[in-house]
Amino acid sequence: MWKSMFYKEWIKIRLVFWLSVIVGVGVTLAMYMIIRSELADTPVNHYLWKIMNRDFVFFTLFKFLPLGIGLLIGLAQFIPEMTEKRIKLTLHLPINEEKAGLQMVAFGVMSLTIIFSLMFLVFIGIGRYYFPYEIIRVAAITVAPWFMSGFAAFFIAGMVAIEPIWKYRIAYLVIGGLFIKMFFILWKAGSYIYANGFFLILVVLFSISILFSIYRFRKGEM
Amino acid sequence: MAAAIIILSNVIPTIYRTLFKVPGQYPSIYYSLLKDEFFTSTYDYELSIQTIKNSKGEVIPEDEFHKACPIENSFFLIKKGEFPDSISGMKIDVEKFRPESDYASIRSSFMSMPSYRLFPLMDSKTALRFPHDVCRIGKKRVEFILAETNKVDEEKSEIFTRIFNNENFNYPAKLMAGIPTVMKPYDNGWFITDSKDLFYHMKMENGKPYLKKIETPEGFKVKYVSPSTIESRSIHAYVISEENKLYILSSLDYGLIELPVYDYNPEKHYSLMFRKTPYFTKVDFSSFNQRKIYVLDRNYKLLNKFEKENKPYSELSVGKAFATLFPFNLRFGENHHSYIKFVFNGYNNFSWIVASVIFVLLNVFFIIRKKRRFKNNILDLVLIAATGIFGFIAVNLFPNKEY
Amino acid sequence: MENIVECRNLTHYYGNKMVYEDLNFNIKKGSILGLLGKNGTGKTTTINILNGYLTPRSGECIILGENSKNLSPYVKSQIGYLIENHVQYAFMNIYQIEKFYSGFYPNWKREAYYDLMAKLKVTPKQKISTMSCGQRSQVALGLILAQDPELLVLDDFTMGLDPGYRRLFIDYLRNYAKAEGKTVFTTSHIIQDMERLIDECIVFDYNKVLVYMPVKEFMSTFKQFNFEVTNPDVEFEKGGLVENYEKIDSTIELYTYSRANEVESYLASLGIAYSNFREVPMTLEDAFIGLTGKY
């Protein structure tokens, strides 16, 4: 049954999925192209010190990309469910409603994991070619919350889309927005090292938030 | 729901703090060696007026202040030709001022700052310029990584590692303090501690390694080092120990001189300043509501002390309301740290219970009005009782499943 | 006979606006029940309650032995549900949608679906969103036939269908239901052709149920009498003998469950002078309009 569910979700997002892969990996590659051209003008050691001592973050191009991808996948998955209240069809399927909702979320999480892993691998792989291990380690710590913001955006998009009542939709949007903001408070390289674990827990807590909206939909508050 | 409570516990208090901001006052405090007295100077930015008060709180004219603190006001006095020849019997040579003057500002945030654990080691004997490599004191050896190729310079690494091994350095390095810029009068290498908290000074001179183990008192651990670039080169660095004691690392035999300052606490005092003149050293630190200044003589013995304390936030009415309204709050970092951390604060006194009871009653009212069953909402009520306003909002945003 | 659906004392409000109070009805196994009413009388509300998308203020619906608030996956698999406007996953094509649904139902009857699809002039790769309303209704119907459920719940399936498709849909459905012994619950605000389909009907008006009886009984007992009156200002009291009436100039159209002689003696007892008294034959649609009024 989850196979069928994933099939449906895949039909919905496949365009957006490939687009995200292309844009995500493309931007990562483009970022290193820019760095390469910058390195042609500045000596590498100067570039390194800019990174190390002036809090220069060489991967800013990256910053909101996972957020955008998460949002896009979320919208691609949940807007078709909400137009004409198609979620009724999904909830009518002969499986538990909550399971149905979570299966859709699980599929989105899987897709995002694939896209983000690809981006991350390219990011780390090429980065290691140019820079010492320490620089890349800090870079990975710094981009981790950005990737997490992508997952958070996905969950929030789902929750807001499925939510039947406008009042709650706005409330969720506000809470969600404030939550997303947390991932971007400070972006000194490496400053999230002690917070990433906690953020991960929060994101996991958020992952089931769609159930609240499904629950209210089923109670018939519209 | 838990996530919502956590988010709200950050957001609402932040809004509150922004709305009811307590304006901070940061007067400049001057020490007059001549009168052994502190002067307070406040500047009103709106009126562009400087008001100077003496230690009795009397407003004094600018001239009197300039004469009392000739060192800090040398600019004005020299212009007017009123600069004294001597202070307290010591002859003053304006030319010797600068080399023996130094200034260091240490913010608590510097002590816990993300670090790349790589640093540029310049040559202290040649002209200041960036090296072509970065240094890493890794798990087994010292390594220099050539920036251009991103490869280890084996030869140079080997030379340095040998010196480190000779000094029985315990890899890897824990703390690395230096001034990684060419905008300084001279290079003095890096101060490092090893994994067993032994303290070293590392330099490169004409391409040769230099490593000096610094003798420290028993049980001494370095918390922070602020290297000095004093022109006379009389001191190496300002050092803060793990026990928050302050030291000056003298360049004379690497002597570690303990300063008679015992109540500095970087968790509280987010700002610490050293101001050194040929005649005295001023140690100045402040917290949200406290300002302390210790003036030390040339041998770092206490000369005078200044202390000012305002009411702490929790005793101001906004602070009291804060504690009542919010049982706890979440901040993304301790005061002035450079890391994002989840810091929960609260449940300090019992005033929050009042607000929690009100919110519980309000929710009971909601339950009755919506004709819900109490049995299904007990958990919600417990949550509100424990988390007050945050729980109240969260519970009403995410209603329970109820059939 | 066994009841597939039993609704007891259903009461629902939207805010303070009452939809209905104490609605009771049963659907017997193998019968076709039509819920007829104008727009906004609570037809979809009832369907939503039946499918568990809405918790009624009070009362309950028992479907195949389970409360509709908490339907098990098995019972849901035994309910074929056609949403208003034939809403389906429009981003799929007819091949994809079959593949999707077949994964959920162990007794999936693929042939039933493709037999119906073969009659449609659509390409297999055509997305449902690009199809006409009639074609979409056939896709939705085909999926339900393949699902082969015990109970079919159809929400206003006639909406947007042209007469040909409507007739096709109704005939196909009735033949199928009767041949397979399926139970059908359908709502509609278009009554035309409905008597070809349904066995029993419930007629909703705002806030109340006007009729709940077999269609045959309704058609044979509910009558329309026309007559001319000399005094055009005459008014009748509703609720007793007179269910409803319309006045066109001096002609009165009177709707009643009473027989001709009862009506005539009623008129006489009121002292109303009339002429040209006659019974007018009605279709279900005429009866529906007569009962609920034109407005």
Side-chain angles (χ1 to χ4, degrees), chain A residues 44-46 49 51-53 98 128-132 134 138 159 168 171-172 178-179 182 185-186 189 191-193 195 198 206 212 215-216 218, chain B residues 2-3 6-8 11 114 116 118 120 130-132 134 136 147-148 150 180 332 338-342 344 396-403:
Chain A
V44 189
N45 54 352
H46 283 251
W49 294 316
I51 292 173
M52 279 160 29
N53 301 321
E98 281 156 17
R128 235 354 230 116
Y129 172 77
Y130 284 110
F131 304 119
E134 283 85 350
V138 173
M159 185 168 156
Y168 284 106
Y172 291 166
L178 293 168
F179 183 48
M182 286 183 177
I185 312 166
L186 234 186
S191 46
Y192 276 79
I193 182 163
F198 206 105
F206 248 85
F212 286 107
Y215 152 62
R216 242 205 317 287
R218 279 176 28 80
Chain B
I6 290 165
I7 293 162
L8 290 170
V11 171
Y116 281 99
L118 291 173
F130 280 126
H132 291 287
V134 284
R136 162 199 294 156
E148 202 68 48
N150 199 19
F332 294 111
S338 302
Y339 284 114
I340 302 289
K341 268 187 198 167
F342 283 80
F344 284 97
N396 284 291
L397 274 187
F398 301 95
N400 275 337
K401 197 167 171 156
E402 188 175 298
Y403 288 120

Coordinates of all heavy atoms in Angstrom, one line a residue, chain A residues 44-46 49 51-53 98 128-132 134 138 159 168 171-172 178-179 182 185-186 189 191-193 195 198 206 212 215-216 218, chain B residues 2-3 6-8 11 114 116 118 120 130-132 134 136 147-148 150 180 332 338-342 344 396-403:
Chain A
V44 N 45.5 32.0 -2.8 CA 44.7 31.1 -2.0 C 44.9 31.3 -0.5 O 43.9 31.3 0.3 CB 45.0 29.6 -2.3 CG1 44.0 28.7 -1.6 CG2 45.0 29.4 -3.8
N45 N 46.1 31.6 -0.1 CA 46.3 31.8 1.4 C 45.5 33.0 1.9 O 45.0 33.0 3.0 CB 47.8 31.9 1.7 CG 48.5 33.0 0.9 OD1 47.9 33.6 0.0 ND2 49.7 33.3 1.3
H46 N 45.4 34.1 1.1 CA 44.6 35.2 1.5 C 43.1 34.8 1.6 O 42.4 35.2 2.5 CB 44.8 36.4 0.5 CG 46.1 37.1 0.7 ND1 46.1 38.4 1.2 CD2 47.3 36.7 0.5 CE1 47.4 38.7 1.3 NE2 48.1 37.8 0.8
W49 N 42.6 33.0 4.8 CA 42.5 33.8 6.0 C 41.2 34.6 6.1 O 40.8 34.9 7.1 CB 43.7 34.7 6.1 CG 44.9 33.9 6.3 CD1 45.1 32.9 7.1 CD2 46.2 34.0 5.6 NE1 46.3 32.3 7.0 CE2 47.0 33.0 6.1 CE3 46.6 34.9 4.6 CZ2 48.3 32.8 5.6 CZ3 47.9 34.7 4.2 CH2 48.7 33.7 4.6
I51 N 38.5 33.5 5.1 CA 37.5 32.5 5.7 C 37.8 32.3 7.2 O 36.9 32.4 8.0 CB 37.7 31.1 5.0 CG1 37.3 31.2 3.6 CG2 36.9 30.0 5.8 CD1 37.6 29.9 2.8
M52 N 39.0 32.2 7.6 CA 39.3 31.8 9.0 C 39.2 33.0 9.9 O 38.7 32.8 11.1 CB 40.7 31.3 9.1 CG 40.8 29.8 8.7 SD 42.4 29.2 8.2 CE 43.5 30.2 9.1
N53 N 39.6 34.2 9.5 CA 39.7 35.2 10.5 C 38.6 36.3 10.3 O 38.4 37.1 11.2 CB 41.1 35.9 10.4 CG 42.1 34.9 10.7 OD1 42.0 34.1 11.6 ND2 43.2 34.9 10.0
E98 N -4.2 8.5 9.8 CA -2.9 9.1 10.2 C -1.7 8.4 9.5 O -0.8 9.1 9.2 CB -2.8 8.9 11.7 CG -3.6 9.9 12.5 CD -4.0 9.5 13.9 OE1 -3.4 8.6 14.4 OE2 -5.0 10.1 14.4
R128 N 36.6 19.8 -0.3 CA 37.8 19.1 0.2 C 39.0 19.3 -0.8 O 40.1 19.2 -0.4 CB 37.5 17.7 0.4 CG 37.7 17.0 1.8 CD 38.3 17.7 2.9 NE 39.4 16.9 3.4 CZ 40.6 17.2 3.4 NH1 41.0 18.3 2.9 NH2 41.5 16.3 3.9
Y129 N 38.6 19.4 -2.0 CA 39.7 19.5 -3.0 C 40.4 20.9 -2.8 O 41.6 21.0 -3.0 CB 39.1 19.4 -4.4 CG 40.0 19.8 -5.5 CD1 41.0 18.9 -5.9 CD2 40.0 21.0 -6.2 CE1 41.9 19.2 -6.9 CE2 40.9 21.3 -7.2 CZ 41.8 20.4 -7.6 OH 42.7 20.7 -8.6
Y130 N 39.6 21.9 -2.5 CA 40.2 23.2 -2.4 C 40.7 23.5 -1.0 O 41.7 24.3 -0.9 CB 39.1 24.3 -2.7 CG 38.8 24.4 -4.2 CD1 37.6 24.0 -4.7 CD2 39.8 25.0 -5.0 CE1 37.4 24.2 -6.1 CE2 39.5 25.1 -6.4 CZ 38.3 24.7 -6.9 OH 38.1 24.9 -8.2
F131 N 40.0 23.1 0.0 CA 40.3 23.6 1.4 C 40.7 22.4 2.3 O 40.3 21.3 2.2 CB 39.1 24.3 1.9 CG 38.7 25.5 1.1 CD1 37.4 25.5 0.5 CD2 39.6 26.5 0.8 CE1 37.0 26.5 -0.3 CE2 39.2 27.6 0.0 CZ 37.9 27.6 -0.6
P132 N 41.4 22.8 3.4 CA 41.8 21.8 4.4 C 40.5 21.2 5.1 O 39.5 21.9 5.1 CB 42.7 22.5 5.4 CG 43.1 23.8 4.7 CD 42.1 24.1 3.7
E134 N 39.6 21.1 8.2 CA 39.0 21.9 9.2 C 38.0 22.9 8.7 O 36.9 23.1 9.2 CB 40.1 22.7 10.0 CG 40.8 21.9 11.0 CD 42.0 21.2 10.4 OE1 42.1 21.1 9.2 OE2 42.8 20.6 11.2
V138 N 33.9 22.9 9.5 CA 33.1 24.0 10.0 C 32.0 24.3 9.0 O 30.9 24.7 9.4 CB 34.0 25.2 10.3 CG1 33.2 26.4 10.6 CG2 34.9 24.9 11.4
M159 N 1.6 21.2 6.8 CA 0.7 21.5 7.8 C -0.2 22.7 7.4 O -1.4 22.6 7.7 CB 1.6 21.9 9.0 CG 0.8 22.1 10.3 SD 2.1 22.2 11.5 CE 1.3 23.1 12.8
Y168 N -6.2 29.1 11.8 CA -5.1 28.3 12.3 C -3.9 28.3 11.2 O -2.8 28.2 11.6 CB -5.6 26.8 12.5 CG -6.3 26.6 13.7 CD1 -7.7 26.5 13.7 CD2 -5.7 26.6 15.0 CE1 -8.4 26.3 14.9 CE2 -6.4 26.5 16.1 CZ -7.8 26.3 16.1 OH -8.4 26.2 17.3
A171 N -1.9 31.1 12.0 CA -1.1 30.9 13.3 C 0.0 29.9 13.0 O 1.1 30.1 13.4 CB -2.1 30.3 14.3
Y172 N -0.2 28.9 12.2 CA 0.8 27.9 11.9 C 1.9 28.6 11.0 O 3.1 28.3 11.2 CB 0.3 26.7 11.1 CG -0.6 25.8 11.8 CD1 -1.4 24.9 11.2 CD2 -0.6 25.9 13.2 CE1 -2.2 24.0 11.9 CE2 -1.5 25.1 13.9 CZ -2.3 24.1 13.3 OH -3.1 23.3 14.0
L178 N 8.6 31.7 12.5 CA 9.5 32.0 13.6 C 10.4 30.8 13.8 O 11.6 31.0 14.1 CB 8.7 32.2 14.9 CG 7.8 33.5 14.9 CD1 6.8 33.5 16.0 CD2 8.7 34.7 15.0
F179 N 9.9 29.6 13.6 CA 10.8 28.4 13.7 C 11.9 28.4 12.7 O 13.1 28.2 13.0 CB 9.9 27.2 13.5 CG 10.6 25.9 13.7 CD1 11.5 25.7 14.8 CD2 10.5 24.9 12.8 CE1 12.1 24.5 15.0 CE2 11.2 23.7 13.0 CZ 12.0 23.5 14.1
M182 N 14.8 30.6 13.3 CA 15.8 30.1 14.3 C 17.0 29.5 13.6 O 18.1 29.5 14.1 CB 15.2 29.0 15.1 CG 14.2 29.4 16.1 SD 13.7 28.0 17.0 CE 12.7 28.7 18.3
I185 N 19.6 32.5 12.7 CA 19.9 33.6 13.7 C 21.3 34.2 13.5 O 21.4 35.4 13.3 CB 19.8 33.1 15.2 CG1 18.6 32.2 15.4 CG2 19.8 34.3 16.1 CD1 18.7 31.5 16.7
L186 N 22.2 33.3 13.6 CA 23.6 33.8 13.5 C 24.3 32.9 12.5 O 24.1 31.8 12.4 CB 24.3 33.5 14.8 CG 25.0 34.6 15.6 CD1 25.7 33.9 16.8 CD2 26.0 35.3 14.8
A189 N 30.4 31.2 10.9 CA 30.7 29.8 10.5 C 30.9 29.0 11.8 O 31.6 29.4 12.7 CB 31.9 29.7 9.7
S191 N 28.8 28.4 14.3 CA 28.2 28.7 15.5 C 27.1 27.8 16.0 O 26.6 27.8 17.1 CB 27.7 30.2 15.5 OG 27.0 30.4 14.3
Y192 N 26.6 26.9 15.1 CA 25.5 26.0 15.4 C 26.0 24.7 16.0 O 25.2 23.8 16.1 CB 24.6 25.8 14.2 CG 23.6 26.9 14.0 CD1 23.9 28.1 13.5 CD2 22.3 26.7 14.5 CE1 23.0 29.1 13.3 CE2 21.3 27.7 14.3 CZ 21.7 28.9 13.7 OH 20.7 29.9 13.5
I193 N 27.3 24.6 16.2 CA 27.8 23.3 16.5 C 27.1 22.6 17.7 O 26.8 21.4 17.7 CB 29.4 23.3 16.7 CG1 29.9 21.9 17.0 CG2 29.8 24.3 17.8 CD1 31.4 21.8 16.8
A195 N 24.1 23.4 18.8 CA 22.6 23.6 18.6 C 22.0 22.6 17.6 O 20.9 22.3 17.7 CB 22.3 25.0 18.3
F198 N 19.9 19.7 19.0 CA 18.6 20.2 19.5 C 17.6 20.6 18.4 O 16.4 20.3 18.4 CB 18.8 21.4 20.4 CG 17.8 21.6 21.4 CD1 18.0 21.3 22.7 CD2 16.5 22.1 21.1 CE1 17.1 21.5 23.7 CE2 15.6 22.3 22.0 CZ 15.8 22.0 23.4
F206 N 8.4 18.4 14.7 CA 7.6 19.1 13.7 C 7.0 18.1 12.7 O 6.0 18.3 12.1 CB 8.3 20.2 13.1 CG 7.8 21.5 13.4 CD1 8.3 22.2 14.5 CD2 6.9 22.2 12.6 CE1 7.8 23.4 14.9 CE2 6.4 23.4 12.9 CZ 6.8 24.0 14.0
F212 N -2.1 17.1 13.2 CA -3.1 18.0 13.8 C -4.0 18.6 12.7 O -5.2 18.7 12.9 CB -2.3 19.2 14.4 CG -1.6 18.9 15.7 CD1 -0.3 18.7 15.8 CD2 -2.4 18.6 16.8 CE1 0.4 18.4 16.9 CE2 -1.8 18.3 18.0 CZ -0.4 18.2 18.1
Y215 N -6.3 15.8 11.6 CA -7.3 15.6 12.6 C -8.4 16.6 12.5 O -9.6 16.3 12.6 CB -6.6 15.6 14.0 CG -7.5 16.0 15.1 CD1 -8.6 15.3 15.4 CD2 -7.2 17.2 15.8 CE1 -9.5 15.7 16.5 CE2 -8.0 17.6 16.8 CZ -9.2 16.9 17.2 OH -10.0 17.3 18.2
R216 N -8.0 17.9 12.3 CA -9.1 18.9 12.3 C -9.9 18.8 11.0 O -11.1 19.1 11.0 CB -8.5 20.3 12.5 CG -9.1 20.9 13.7 CD -9.1 22.4 13.7 NE -7.8 22.8 13.2 CZ -6.7 22.7 14.0 NH1 -6.8 22.3 15.2 NH2 -5.6 23.1 13.5
R218 N -10.7 16.1 9.6 CA -11.6 15.0 9.8 C -12.8 15.4 10.7 O -13.8 14.8 10.7 CB -10.9 13.8 10.3 CG -10.3 13.0 9.1 CD -9.5 11.8 9.5 NE -9.9 11.2 10.7 CZ -10.9 10.3 10.8 NH1 -11.7 10.0 9.7 NH2 -11.2 9.7 11.9
Chain B
A2 N 5.1 20.3 21.6 CA 6.3 20.6 22.4 C 7.1 21.6 21.6 O 7.7 22.6 22.2 CB 7.0 19.3 22.6
A3 N 7.2 21.4 20.3 CA 8.0 22.3 19.5 C 7.5 23.7 19.5 O 8.2 24.6 19.7 CB 8.0 21.8 18.0
I6 N 8.4 25.4 22.7 CA 9.8 25.8 22.7 C 10.0 27.0 21.9 O 10.6 28.0 22.3 CB 10.7 24.6 22.2 CG1 10.7 23.5 23.2 CG2 12.1 25.1 21.9 CD1 11.2 22.2 22.7
I7 N 9.4 27.1 20.8 CA 9.5 28.2 19.9 C 8.9 29.5 20.6 O 9.5 30.5 20.6 CB 8.8 28.0 18.5 CG1 9.6 26.9 17.8 CG2 8.8 29.3 17.7 CD1 8.8 26.3 16.7
L8 N 7.7 29.3 21.1 CA 7.1 30.4 21.8 C 7.9 30.9 23.0 O 7.9 32.1 23.2 CB 5.7 30.0 22.3 CG 4.6 29.8 21.2 CD1 3.4 29.1 21.8 CD2 4.3 31.1 20.5
V11 N 10.2 33.3 21.4 CA 9.7 34.4 20.6 C 9.0 35.4 21.5 O 9.3 36.6 21.5 CB 8.7 33.9 19.6 CG1 8.0 35.0 18.9 CG2 9.5 33.1 18.6
P114 N 33.5 29.8 17.7 CA 33.8 28.7 16.8 C 35.2 28.9 16.2 O 35.5 30.1 15.8 CB 32.8 28.9 15.6 CG 31.7 29.8 16.2 CD 32.3 30.6 17.2
Y116 N 38.3 27.5 13.6 CA 38.7 26.6 12.5 C 39.9 25.6 12.9 O 40.1 24.7 12.3 CB 39.1 27.3 11.3 CG 37.9 27.9 10.5 CD1 37.5 29.2 10.7 CD2 37.3 27.1 9.6 CE1 36.4 29.7 9.9 CE2 36.2 27.5 8.9 CZ 35.8 28.8 9.1 OH 34.7 29.3 8.4
L118 N 42.9 26.2 12.7 CA 44.0 26.3 11.8 C 44.5 27.8 12.0 O 43.7 28.6 12.3 CB 43.5 26.2 10.3 CG 43.0 24.9 9.8 CD1 42.4 25.1 8.4 CD2 44.1 23.9 9.7
P120 N 47.5 30.9 10.8 CA 48.7 31.3 10.0 C 49.9 31.6 10.9 O 49.7 32.4 11.8 CB 48.3 32.5 9.2 CG 47.2 33.1 10.1 CD 46.6 32.1 10.9
F130 N 51.6 37.5 5.1 CA 50.9 36.2 5.2 C 51.8 35.1 4.7 O 52.3 35.2 3.6 CB 49.6 36.3 4.5 CG 48.5 37.0 5.2 CD1 47.8 38.0 4.5 CD2 48.1 36.7 6.5 CE1 46.8 38.7 5.2 CE2 47.1 37.3 7.1 CZ 46.4 38.4 6.5
P131 N 51.8 34.0 5.5 CA 52.6 32.9 5.0 C 51.7 32.2 3.9 O 50.6 32.5 3.7 CB 52.7 32.0 6.2 CG 51.6 32.3 7.1 CD 51.3 33.8 6.8
H132 N 52.4 31.3 3.2 CA 51.7 30.6 2.1 C 51.0 29.3 2.6 O 50.5 28.5 1.8 CB 52.7 30.2 1.0 CG 53.1 31.4 0.3 ND1 52.4 32.1 -0.6 CD2 54.3 32.1 0.3 CE1 53.0 33.1 -1.1 NE2 54.2 33.1 -0.5
V134 N 48.9 27.2 6.2 CA 48.2 27.4 7.5 C 48.7 26.2 8.3 O 49.1 25.1 7.8 CB 46.7 27.3 7.3 CG1 46.2 28.6 6.8 CG2 46.3 26.1 6.5
R136 N 48.4 23.5 11.5 CA 47.4 22.7 12.2 C 48.2 21.9 13.2 O 49.2 21.3 12.9 CB 46.7 21.7 11.3 CG 46.0 20.5 11.9 CD 45.8 19.4 10.9 NE 44.8 19.8 9.9 CZ 44.7 19.2 8.7 NH1 45.6 18.3 8.4 NH2 43.8 19.6 7.8
A147 N 48.4 26.4 1.1 CA 47.1 26.9 0.6 C 46.9 26.6 -0.9 O 45.8 26.2 -1.3 CB 46.9 28.4 0.9
E148 N 47.9 26.8 -1.6 CA 47.8 26.7 -3.1 C 47.4 25.3 -3.5 O 46.5 25.1 -4.4 CB 49.1 27.1 -3.7 CG 49.0 27.5 -5.2 CD 48.3 28.8 -5.3 OE1 48.6 29.8 -4.6 OE2 47.4 28.9 -6.1
N150 N 46.6 22.7 -1.2 CA 45.8 22.0 -0.2 C 46.5 20.7 0.2 O 45.9 19.7 0.5 CB 44.4 21.7 -0.8 CG 43.4 21.3 0.4 OD1 43.7 21.7 1.5 ND2 42.3 20.7 0.0
P180 N 46.1 37.0 14.0 CA 46.3 36.6 12.6 C 46.1 37.7 11.6 O 45.2 37.7 10.8 CB 45.2 35.5 12.5 CG 44.1 35.9 13.4 CD 44.8 36.7 14.5
F332 N 19.0 31.7 22.5 CA 19.9 30.9 21.7 C 21.4 31.3 22.0 O 22.2 31.5 21.1 CB 19.6 31.2 20.2 CG 18.3 30.7 19.8 CD1 17.3 31.6 19.5 CD2 18.1 29.4 19.8 CE1 16.0 31.1 19.2 CE2 16.8 28.9 19.5 CZ 15.8 29.8 19.2
S338 N 29.3 33.4 21.2 CA 29.3 33.4 19.8 C 28.6 32.1 19.2 O 28.5 31.9 18.1 CB 30.7 33.5 19.2 OG 31.3 34.6 19.6
Y339 N 28.3 31.2 20.1 CA 27.6 30.0 19.7 C 26.1 30.1 19.8 O 25.6 30.8 20.7 CB 28.1 28.8 20.6 CG 29.5 28.3 20.3 CD1 30.4 28.4 21.2 CD2 29.8 27.7 19.1 CE1 31.7 27.9 21.0 CE2 31.0 27.2 18.8 CZ 32.0 27.3 19.8 OH 33.2 26.9 19.5
I340 N 25.5 29.4 18.9 CA 24.0 29.2 19.1 C 23.9 28.1 20.1 O 24.3 27.0 19.8 CB 23.3 28.9 17.8 CG1 23.6 30.0 16.8 CG2 21.8 28.7 18.0 CD1 22.9 31.3 17.0
K341 N 23.2 28.3 21.2 CA 23.0 27.2 22.1 C 21.6 27.4 22.6 O 21.0 28.4 22.6 CB 23.9 27.4 23.3 CG 25.2 26.6 23.2 CD 25.9 26.7 24.5 CE 27.4 26.4 24.4 NZ 28.1 26.8 25.6
F342 N 21.0 26.3 23.0 CA 19.7 26.4 23.6 C 19.9 26.5 25.1 O 20.3 25.7 25.8 CB 18.9 25.1 23.3 CG 18.4 25.1 21.9 CD1 19.2 24.7 20.9 CD2 17.1 25.5 21.6 CE1 18.7 24.8 19.6 CE2 16.6 25.5 20.4 CZ 17.4 25.1 19.3
F344 N 17.9 27.3 28.4 CA 16.6 27.5 29.1 C 16.8 28.2 30.5 O 17.7 27.8 31.2 CB 15.9 26.2 29.3 CG 15.2 25.7 28.1 CD1 15.9 24.7 27.3 CD2 14.0 26.2 27.6 CE1 15.4 24.3 26.1 CE2 13.5 25.7 26.5 CZ 14.1 24.8 25.7
N396 N -4.1 25.7 22.6 CA -5.2 26.2 21.9 C -4.9 26.2 20.4 O -5.9 26.3 19.6 CB -5.6 27.6 22.4 CG -6.4 27.5 23.7 OD1 -7.5 27.0 23.7 ND2 -5.7 27.8 24.8
L397 N -3.7 26.2 20.0 CA -3.4 26.1 18.6 C -3.5 24.6 18.1 O -3.8 24.4 17.0 CB -2.0 26.6 18.3 CG -1.8 28.0 18.1 CD1 -0.3 28.3 17.7 CD2 -2.7 28.6 17.0
F398 N -3.1 23.7 19.0 CA -3.1 22.3 18.6 C -4.1 21.5 19.5 O -3.7 20.9 20.5 CB -1.7 21.7 18.7 CG -0.7 22.4 17.9 CD1 0.1 23.4 18.4 CD2 -0.5 22.0 16.6 CE1 1.0 24.0 17.7 CE2 0.4 22.7 15.8 CZ 1.2 23.7 16.4
P399 N -5.4 21.6 19.2 CA -6.3 21.0 20.1 C -6.2 19.4 20.1 O -5.6 18.8 19.2 CB -7.7 21.3 19.4 CG -7.4 21.8 18.1 CD -6.0 22.2 18.0
N400 N -6.6 18.9 21.2 CA -6.5 17.4 21.3 C -7.5 16.7 20.4 O -8.5 17.3 20.0 CB -7.0 17.1 22.8 CG -5.8 17.2 23.7 OD1 -4.7 17.1 23.3 ND2 -6.1 17.3 25.0
K401 N -7.1 15.5 20.1 CA -8.0 14.7 19.4 C -9.1 14.3 20.3 O -8.9 13.8 21.4 CB -7.2 13.4 19.0 CG -7.9 12.6 17.9 CD -6.9 11.6 17.4 CE -7.6 10.7 16.4 NZ -6.8 10.1 15.5
E402 N -10.3 14.6 19.9 CA -11.5 14.3 20.8 C -12.6 13.9 20.0 O -13.1 14.6 19.1 CB -11.8 15.6 21.6 CG -12.8 15.3 22.7 CD -13.1 16.6 23.5 OE1 -12.1 17.0 24.1 OE2 -14.2 17.1 23.5
Y403 N -13.1 12.7 20.3 CA -14.3 12.2 19.5 C -15.5 12.1 20.5 O -15.3 11.9 21.6 CB -14.0 10.8 18.9 CG -13.1 10.9 17.7 CD1 -11.8 10.3 17.7 CD2 -13.4 11.7 16.6 CE1 -11.0 10.4 16.7 CE2 -12.5 11.8 15.6 CZ -11.3 11.1 15.6 OH -10.5 11.2 14.5

